[in-house]
Amino acid sequence: MTASLAGKPRKVVPKILAVIHADGCTGCEACLEICPVDCIFKVAGEDHPRLQAFCDIDLDRCIGCQHCRQICPRDAIEMVPTPEIAGHVAAKGGPPRYVDETWDALVDQARRNAEEYLAKKHR
Ligand code: SF4
Ligand code: SF4
């Protein structure tokens, strides 16, 4: 992890964003360790103690650097053009309970990132 970037606000929405396909993810944390902005988080835990561990991404902070995709041993991470991110997030899968509880918020977040990217691009 590059400590100098962690926790700092992102200046622009990148042209590509990362999506973790939950069904291919083992929760090994390799991506989480390498992400320079600490925007990858482990899902199973206090709120979901019985789920198999897997990781997800805070798209509001992803800078599209691709380090996570390069290191993932399961090819579970895809880099997606930002205007198309909402469709990919909607289809990324995961345990039914997690999908039920988070789908709306995660897809809304993806849609907002796409809209912000397109608005700045056409300004
Ligand atoms: S693309 Fe970079 S910033 Fe985005 S989740 Fe992967 S490692 Fe983190
Ligand atoms: S590196 Fe791949 S398998 Fe490991 S936690 Fe990240 S997405 Fe999941």
Side-chain angles (χ1 to χ4, degrees):
M1 188 191 72
T2 308
S4 60
L5 289 175
K8 292 201 172 168
R10 188 177 64 186
K11 290 194 177 121
V12 293
V13 180
K15 65 181 180 187
I16 52 173
L17 289 165
V19 174
I20 295 178
H21 293 280
D23 295 340
C25 172
T26 61
C28 73
E29 300 189 23
C31 57
L32 190 151
E33 294 290 329
I34 204 168
C35 177
V37 295
D38 283 346
C39 71
I40 302 177
F41 57 92
K42 198 96 172 257
V43 170
E46 281 180 20
D47 293 340
H48 302 272
R50 281 181 285 172
L51 295 184
Q52 179 192 317
F54 66 101
C55 286
D56 211 339
I57 295 174
D58 178 0
L59 289 180
D60 287 341
R61 295 173 53 218
C62 174
I63 58 171
C65 69
Q66 308 196 49
H67 293 340
C68 55
R69 183 186 61 76
Q70 288 159 356
I71 204 168
C72 177
R74 299 290 304 256
D75 279 340
I77 303 180
E78 188 179 1
M79 299 307 301
V80 176
T82 299
E84 300 166 18
I85 189 69
H88 288 262
V89 167
K92 71 190 176 63
R97 185 178 150 200
Y98 180 72
V99 173
D100 280 352
E101 291 177 357
T102 62
W103 194 90
D104 286 345
L106 294 177
V107 174
D108 278 355
Q109 182 190 48
R111 202 173 283 136
R112 187 166 32 75
N113 270 271
E115 287 168 0
E116 194 179 325
Y117 172 79
L118 289 169
K120 288 201 172 141
K121 197 173 168 221
H122 293 124
R123 205 175 275 168

